[in-house]
Amino acid sequence: YKLGIVVVVAGRECPVTQLRWPNASKFPIPADYIDAQLVWHLSPEDARDYLHKVKIDKTDLADAAIKYASVNPDDNWENLQVHPFYLGLCADAVLAERRRGIELLSSDFARIPKLENKTAELTDRLLSYVDREVRSAVHSLSACRAFDEDLYVKLGVGCHFQASSANFEILTGFSFVWKSQKQGDNWYRIHDLLRRLDADRDHPKTRRAHEVLEGHYREVGNAAEAIFHANRLDWQRGVREWVEVFEEALGLSRYGECESLLGVRDELWIKSDYWLGIISRSEGDYYARLARYAEAKKEYLEAVVAYDRELILISEDTATLTAKGTALRSLGKLQAELSEFEAAKISYSEAIAASNSALHIVPHDRYAFNNKGIALRFLGELQAQLSEFEAAKHSYSEAIVTFNSALVIAPDYNYAFNSKGNALRCLGDLQAQLSEFETAKQSYSEAITAFNSSLFIAPDNITVLKNKGLALRSLGELQVKLSEFDAAKHSYSEAIASCNSALQIAPYYNYALNNKGLALQSFGNLQAHLSDFEAAKVSYFEAIAAYNSALQIAADDNYAFNNKGIALQNLGALQVKLSEFEAAKQSYSEAIAAYNSALQIAPYYIYALTNQGIAWRSLGNLQTQLSEFETAKQSYFDAISAYNSVLQIAPDDNYALSSKGYALRCLGDLQEKLSERQEALKNWQEALEMFDRSLAIAPNRDRLRNTRDALQQLLNNLGEDTASS
């Protein structure tokens, strides 16, 4: 342990080829440091020792049982490999007969069945030695993932066998019944080989038990276990419900419910690669939401592979092609977040190609058009991030054309109206960034029109109401930039009203609460700009209240924690402006705490880490202003540490690079003020490197370039001063 070595003496869950330590979320161990050794079958000596411990000492009987339980009974004695499960069943059979006063002989194990038949023959032989009630209980309990005495009694009533404490004691004494540590004390589990045998045989008592157990778990509100048993009765019904419940829980940030569903996922029967792909993509979305990037990427890739296998069987299955495109789009979004820009472009291009393949088969497939358009929009967002502005405009325009094609086919297809609105909003954001203000206004106006068209078809569509609020907020921010303040106020008010409309329909819709908070933040920023300071404070407090409401609904909503942190930072900046320094310190500290809450849920959440760095830097600036120089230094160091954490996850995250540069610049300025010239020079030089790396990724950032050039001039001047002296 002192050498950092973790020794796993024995494990029952993963074969050597599937050890998952490198993918552990909290304590990953690189594959190079893992020496996996398969624990093989028992030796004849160990098998004899086991039989001795259960009081089967007669030599010829023990030898016969050992040979019977071997996976290679034709080999020499010293080479026998004794299967522990088979040996346990042999012992159970001997002991079951002994309880009836009959001693089995070695000749009872004379005929050795083929290996593939051993589980069935041994189980049948053992159960022939016990009474009917115990036999019925074994077949019923094999339906359970785990059971205790209460569940055993409930099954007895539902499956019509006599459940008694005496029989329960007999059952739990069998070698094939193990304690289930996951559920706690006095919970048990039938060996998987026996459970699999009853499942393969579709044993009527086991099937009846699944019916009883599905009803029981629905009654007690355990959705995951109910879905497992539904899946055993009708695999497709269970899989469909798993996906529906999992995606709903993920949408509401009910991560504990997601974990419960993941707990049964490995035991689900998934008898088509199409559905395997659907489940893998859902898992990928969950891991991505929690910033568990490696696991998310693995699931998305597994989904794509599953869809490809399905397409080998049915090459013209448009549903599979469409689903493949969705998985590739999600993979691309994850890669873009990790600054894997070229890989993300490839994923988006392949997503578009999958939709095109579907459209080649069914030219009027509105779903394929919609999915293609969404992939084009995501590609446009990536190109805009990389300052590839003309390419981004082209992608957005193509996306809008694609959505229009879907609407020609299905004029009332409200999903296409919603998707078109999102693409127009993104195009407007880009045009506003490029100072193409009138065209940006037009794009925002068309986006709002598209959302209104969708709402005309489905007035209570809360997703569209939420998205309309985003478009109105973007329009308001453009109007602020153009000093059209009254129009901006109106846009922000409408954005808030749109979110409120969604909340009237669905009071617990946390996405609407989050977007309402964003609109209130923007409104507060405008009010602060207009020196309406008290109104700005009210808006910030209302934004924070909206995020708190979201967190009451979904306590693990890491997005809400992140957004709350931003609102608190804005409030802190206003308080600094009003010389309310102690209040500002409190706001910045609460912002940092909000980001910490997000990072407790998702430790590698890039946006929370980046924003936390900004909060530390802002706090450092305030502390510098108040001549609290040592605490200011520490705040700058904490900011730089946060950015370093981001850059370990995504080395080319240009926002983290530039933000780290700003923090280093601030730290250098403070050190220069304190006559710590060498430390200041070192930090300024590193800041310059950060700015250069960021500009190499996204060159067209004028403000950053100006900051970089000013720092370079400062360093040049200092160099000249040093040369002169």
Side-chain angles (χ1 to χ4, degrees):
Y1 178 77
K2 290 179 180 177
L3 296 175
I5 298 172
V6 178
V7 179
V8 180
V9 176
R12 282 169 33 196
E13 296 202 354
C14 295
V16 166
T17 55
Q18 297 177 9
L19 286 175
R20 294 176 288 179
W21 287 107
N23 298 326
S25 59
K26 290 186 178 178
F27 305 106
I29 301 175
D32 292 347
Y33 293 89
I34 298 173
D35 181 19
Q37 300 290 336
L38 183 65
V39 179
W40 200 237
H41 299 299
L42 298 177
S43 67
E45 291 73 20
D46 289 337
R48 193 188 300 281
D49 184 55
Y50 167 78
L51 293 175
H52 171 71
K53 287 175 178 175
V54 295
K55 298 182 172 53
I56 300 176
D57 292 313
K58 193 174 178 184
T59 302
D60 61 339
L61 177 61
D63 289 351
I66 289 169
K67 200 165 185 65
Y68 190 99
S70 298
V71 297
N72 57 339
D74 296 330
D75 278 13
N76 295 329
W77 178 262
E78 62 272 12
N79 295 328
L80 290 181
Q81 296 173 9
V82 188
H83 196 299
F85 173 65
Y86 297 154
L87 184 66
L89 287 180
C90 287
D92 288 338
V94 172
L95 297 174
E97 280 293 80
R98 188 176 288 172
R99 281 193 291 270
R100 297 168 60 188
I102 300 171
E103 195 70 32
L104 288 181
L105 304 173
S106 61
S107 57
D108 290 307
F109 292 99
R111 180 187 167 277
I112 300 175
K114 292 182 179 178
L115 179 60
E116 59 269 21
N117 299 330
K118 276 196 176 180
T119 301
E121 180 157 324
L122 271 169
T123 303
D124 292 343
R125 171 176 286 209
L126 166 64
L127 295 181
S128 70
Y129 297 146
V130 299
D131 66 38
R132 185 173 63 84
E133 304 303 334
V134 172
R135 190 159 54 246
S136 295
V138 168
H139 292 306
S140 298
L141 291 170
S142 75
C144 301
R145 292 194 334 116
F147 62 91
D148 65 354
E149 189 165 0
D150 289 342
L151 197 56
Y152 159 74
V153 170
K154 182 173 281 289
L155 278 173
V157 174
C159 298
H160 312 298
F161 63 80
Q162 184 65 44
S164 66
S165 294
N167 280 345
F168 187 74
E169 189 174 343
I170 292 171
L171 282 163
T172 54
F174 285 134
S175 67
F176 58 81
V177 178
W178 294 347
K179 286 201 169 183
S180 180
Q181 302 298 336
K182 289 182 182 178
Q183 276 73 18
D185 293 338
N186 303 317
W187 279 80
Y188 301 89
R189 178 183 175 95
I190 302 286
H191 194 290
D192 285 344
L193 284 175
L194 198 151
R195 293 178 65 220
R196 191 180 307 146
L197 175 66
D198 275 340
D200 290 344
R201 290 174 165 181
D202 195 19
H203 198 287
K205 291 193 179 297
T206 307
R207 188 169 186 81
R208 172 58 188 158
H210 283 302
E211 293 171 356
V212 172
L213 290 164
E214 182 186 355
H216 165 70
Y217 283 116
R218 292 202 188 281
E219 186 178 326
V220 300
N222 189 330
E225 291 294 336
I227 288 168
F228 165 75
H229 294 290
N231 171 258
R232 283 295 195 261
L233 293 165
D234 178 343
W235 77 265
Q236 201 160 12
R237 175 169 71 92
V239 166
R240 282 182 187 277
E241 187 181 358
W242 189 96
V243 172
E244 289 168 6
V245 175
F246 187 88
E247 291 184 349
E248 180 184 0
L250 180 58
L252 295 172
S253 301
R254 295 175 184 159
Y255 302 134
E257 191 175 341
C258 291
E259 285 290 340
S260 296
L261 289 160
L262 289 171
V264 304
R265 180 256 182 270
D266 286 342
E267 294 194 54
L268 292 181
W269 284 346
I270 309 170
K271 299 185 180 181
S272 87
D273 284 313
Y274 171 78
W275 280 106
L276 182 60
I278 296 289
I279 283 184
S280 292
R281 181 177 62 79
S282 295
E283 289 180 275
D285 291 343
Y286 167 75
Y287 291 126
R289 181 73 182 266
L290 292 179
R292 291 163 64 174
Y293 301 116
E295 291 159 286
K297 191 182 291 186
K298 176 174 175 286
E299 293 299 336
Y300 288 141
L301 289 170
E302 285 186 4
V304 173
V305 169
Y307 294 134
D308 282 338
R309 285 198 301 265
E310 184 77 6
L311 289 167
I312 290 172
L313 300 175
I314 313 172
S315 60
E316 297 191 347
D317 185 347
T318 55
T320 302
L321 284 165
T322 300
K324 178 184 175 182
T326 303
L328 284 161
R329 191 177 74 220
S330 298
L331 175 61
K333 187 177 180 183
L334 175 66
Q335 291 164 328
E337 190 170 338
L338 294 173
S339 303
E340 298 172 2
F341 303 123
E342 292 307 313
K345 284 182 181 178
I346 291 170
S347 294
Y348 290 144
S349 297
E350 290 183 357
I352 294 162
S355 296
N356 283 335
S357 295
L359 290 166
H360 181 73
I361 299 162
V362 182
H364 302 297
D365 188 336
R366 59 179 177 169
Y367 301 108
F369 273 120
N370 190 57
N371 280 354
K372 176 183 176 180
I374 296 172
L376 282 161
R377 182 194 122 210
F378 280 19
L379 176 60
E381 289 178 352
L382 173 58
Q383 292 163 331
Q385 181 184 343
L386 297 175
S387 301
E388 299 171 3
F389 300 129
E390 291 306 314
K393 281 185 187 177
H394 180 71
S395 294
Y396 289 142
S397 298
E398 270 200 64
I400 293 160
V401 168
T402 304
F403 297 131
N404 285 336
S405 297
L407 290 166
V408 168
I409 297 163
D412 292 337
Y413 185 27
N414 61 331
Y415 288 109
F417 276 120
N418 180 58
S419 298
K420 179 181 176 181
N422 285 330
L424 283 160
R425 175 179 57 80
C426 291
L427 177 58
D429 290 345
L430 175 58
Q431 291 163 333
Q433 182 184 342
L434 298 175
S435 302
E436 299 172 2
F437 301 127
E438 291 307 314
T439 51
K441 274 189 187 177
Q442 181 64 30
S443 295
Y444 290 140
S445 177
E446 290 180 11
I448 293 162
T449 298
F451 292 130
N452 285 337
S453 297
S454 180
L455 291 167
F456 182 78
I457 299 162
D460 292 341
N461 190 317
I462 55 177
T463 301
V464 177
L465 284 165
K466 177 259 295 180
N467 288 338
K468 180 182 174 182
L470 281 177
L472 284 160
R473 174 175 171 250
S474 292
L475 175 59
E477 291 184 340
L478 172 59
Q479 291 163 333
V480 169
K481 187 182 283 191
L482 297 175
S483 300
E484 299 173 359
F485 300 128
D486 287 336
K489 285 181 181 179
H490 180 70
S491 295
Y492 290 142
S493 297
E494 283 201 13
I496 295 163
S498 186
C499 293
N500 282 336
S501 295
L503 291 166
Q504 283 180 341
I505 299 162
Y508 303 112
Y509 185 34
N510 55 339
Y511 287 116
L513 285 164
N514 269 293
N515 282 2
K516 178 182 177 180
L518 293 172
L520 283 161
Q521 277 177 232
S522 295
F523 203 178
N525 293 343
L526 171 58
Q527 291 162 328
H529 177 72
L530 296 174
S531 301
D532 192 354
F533 301 126
E534 290 308 312
K537 282 185 183 178
V538 170
S539 293
Y540 290 142
F541 282 125
E542 286 184 3
I544 293 162
Y547 299 131
N548 285 337
S549 295
L551 290 165
Q552 283 182 336
I553 296 162
D556 292 335
D557 187 343
N558 46 321
Y559 290 3
F561 276 120
N562 181 60
N563 289 336
K564 179 181 176 181
I566 296 170
L568 284 159
Q569 276 180 248
N570 289 342
L571 175 61
L574 174 59
Q575 290 163 331
V576 169
K577 190 173 185 177
L578 297 174
S579 300
E580 299 172 0
F581 299 128
E582 290 306 314
K585 283 184 186 178
Q586 180 66 24
S587 295
Y588 287 140
S589 297
E590 287 185 19
I592 291 163
Y595 297 131
N596 279 333
S597 294
L599 292 166
Q600 283 179 344
I601 299 161
Y604 306 111
Y605 183 20
I606 287 172
Y607 296 117
L609 284 166
T610 304
N611 288 332
Q612 188 179 61
I614 295 169
W616 278 119
R617 191 181 87 216
S618 299
L619 180 58
N621 291 344
L622 173 57
Q623 291 162 334
T624 299
Q625 183 181 339
L626 298 175
S627 300
E628 299 171 2
F629 298 130
E630 290 307 313
T631 51
K633 269 190 197 178
Q634 186 57 51
S635 294
Y636 290 138
F637 284 131
D638 287 336
I640 292 162
S641 176
Y643 299 132
N644 284 338
S645 295
V646 175
L647 294 169
Q648 283 183 332
I649 301 164
D652 293 328
D653 187 311
N654 57 345
Y655 193 64
L657 287 166
S658 59
S659 296
K660 181 181 176 182
Y662 285 123
L664 285 160
R665 171 70 197 263
C666 291
L667 176 59
D669 291 348
L670 174 57
Q671 290 165 328
E672 172 71 3
K673 188 173 186 175
L674 297 174
S675 301
E676 299 171 359
R677 170 63 63 84
Q678 291 305 314
E679 289 84 353
L681 285 171
K682 176 185 172 185
N683 287 315
W684 283 336
Q685 189 62 50
E686 189 178 352
L688 194 64
E689 292 172 10
M690 295 299 107
F691 294 147
D692 286 339
R693 283 178 61 187
S694 181
L695 288 165
I697 296 165
N700 298 323
R701 296 175 67 188
D702 293 338
R703 182 186 165 205
L704 179 61
R705 188 169 294 281
N706 292 337
T707 303
R708 181 250 177 241
D709 291 344
L711 180 57
Q712 181 68 71
Q713 186 61 49
L714 172 64
L715 289 168
N716 291 343
N717 292 340
L718 287 172
E720 289 172 7
D721 289 345
T722 303
S724 299
S725 61

